Amino acid sequence: TLKAADGATLNFTGMKALSAIPESNSGGAVYVASGGVFTLGGPGSGAINFTANQASNGGAIFGAYTSSLTLAGGANSFINNQGRDIGGAIASFGNVTLSGGVSSFTGNSSGTNGGAIYSTNTITLSGGTNSFTGNSAGSDGGAIYVNNSATLTANGGDITFRGNTAGGQPNA
């Protein structure tokens, strides 16, 4: 679990995933291995910001198969992250949960799918306030891309999509 103290700010800025093996270039700031569990924030957490991070997959965070990523409360911001292939802010082959708190995804981009979030498994938006503004994908899912075997569930809270594009066209 990664948590900033109440009233504090934790920043991940300008980080890059670099490797001689292209498929290893995942998770500009955080890489969660297969079977791993990563929780960001929680009750009483301060602000956690991911800004201008880069990777081939998951500009800020990458979750491998069977991983679990949870944004749980607090104020989580993903700003201007770049996934050169998939998932401008987050790319996950496991589960992604945004639960409570405030999560904002602004100006993130991917070369193909999922300007803010890319998932091949389950994405759950549950409570809290989630905003997706000005994200872009080269092909599909300007804000969120869920492949044909995945599930997207929204349970309460406020979700705003504004100014996202895919393939150069307006798209949520």
Side-chain angles (χ1 to χ4, degrees):
T1 299
L2 181 62
K3 185 175 176 180
D6 190 18
T9 301
L10 178 61
N11 295 305
F12 293 87
T13 303
M15 302 174 91
K16 296 181 182 181
L18 302 171
S19 171
I21 304 168
E23 55 272 9
S24 297
N25 293 334
S26 298
V30 176
Y31 181 99
V32 182
S34 293
V37 175
F38 180 73
T39 302
L40 185 66
S45 181
I48 302 175
N49 303 313
F50 291 86
T51 305
N53 299 292
Q54 298 177 20
S56 290
N57 305 307
I61 300 174
F62 177 80
Y65 293 95
T66 68
S67 65
S68 177
L69 308 174
T70 302
L71 279 64
N76 304 303
S77 296
F78 294 84
I79 302 166
N80 297 331
N81 296 289
Q82 179 186 22
R84 288 181 298 280
D85 187 16
I86 59 173
I90 297 172
S92 179
F93 293 90
N95 297 318
V96 177
T97 302
L98 279 65
S99 163
V102 176
S103 293
S104 62
F105 296 83
T106 305
N108 300 289
S109 64
S110 72
T112 58
N113 301 321
I117 301 175
Y118 172 96
S119 178
T120 62
N121 206 327
T122 300
I123 298 176
T124 303
L125 306 174
S126 180
T129 301
N130 300 292
S131 64
F132 298 86
T133 305
N135 300 290
S136 63
S139 296
D140 297 311
I144 299 173
Y145 177 86
V146 181
N147 83 354
N148 58 2
S149 62
T151 303
L152 172 64
T153 304
N155 296 318
D158 296 319
I159 305 168
T160 303
F161 295 94
R162 182 175 295 121
N164 300 293
T165 61
Q169 302 297 314
N171 182 276

